[in-house]
Amino acid sequence: MSVERFGDQLRRYRQEAGITQETLAERSGLSVRCISDLERGVKRRPHPDTIRMLAAALDLAPETLASFRESATPRPPLAAAALPV
């Protein structure tokens, strides 16, 4: 099962809320640059506090929050044996 990338989820939830990156930055206490970097995938492993602040600013429901957190969890690399020779 493929989990949607954190930045893609963040962008989708922000757009569904009808707010700009600037507004989300104000609500969350994060910088616009941070929001932009996360959405573009420049930053792929947000700090747990960052996730919490974004979730609160977006008013995510508990079931949505679980998926949001999971999308920020690094995936283990593929084992060498799983790659074709």
Side-chain angles (χ1 to χ4, degrees), residues 7-62:
D8 293 336
Q9 274 197 23
L10 175 59
R11 181 181 303 108
R12 182 167 52 85
Y13 292 141
R14 178 181 59 74
Q15 290 172 340
E16 287 174 0
I19 60 176
T20 63
Q21 289 181 346
E22 291 79 8
T23 301
L24 180 56
E26 289 173 14
R27 289 183 184 180
S28 66
L30 299 168
S31 70
V32 175
R33 172 85 184 255
C34 177
I35 305 293
S36 176
D37 285 352
L38 287 168
E39 286 189 1
R40 291 181 296 122
V42 173
K43 292 183 182 178
R44 294 184 180 165
R45 296 177 61 186
H47 191 275
D49 286 340
T50 300
I51 297 167
R52 179 187 51 76
M53 293 162 70
L54 288 168
L58 292 166
D59 197 27
L60 297 182

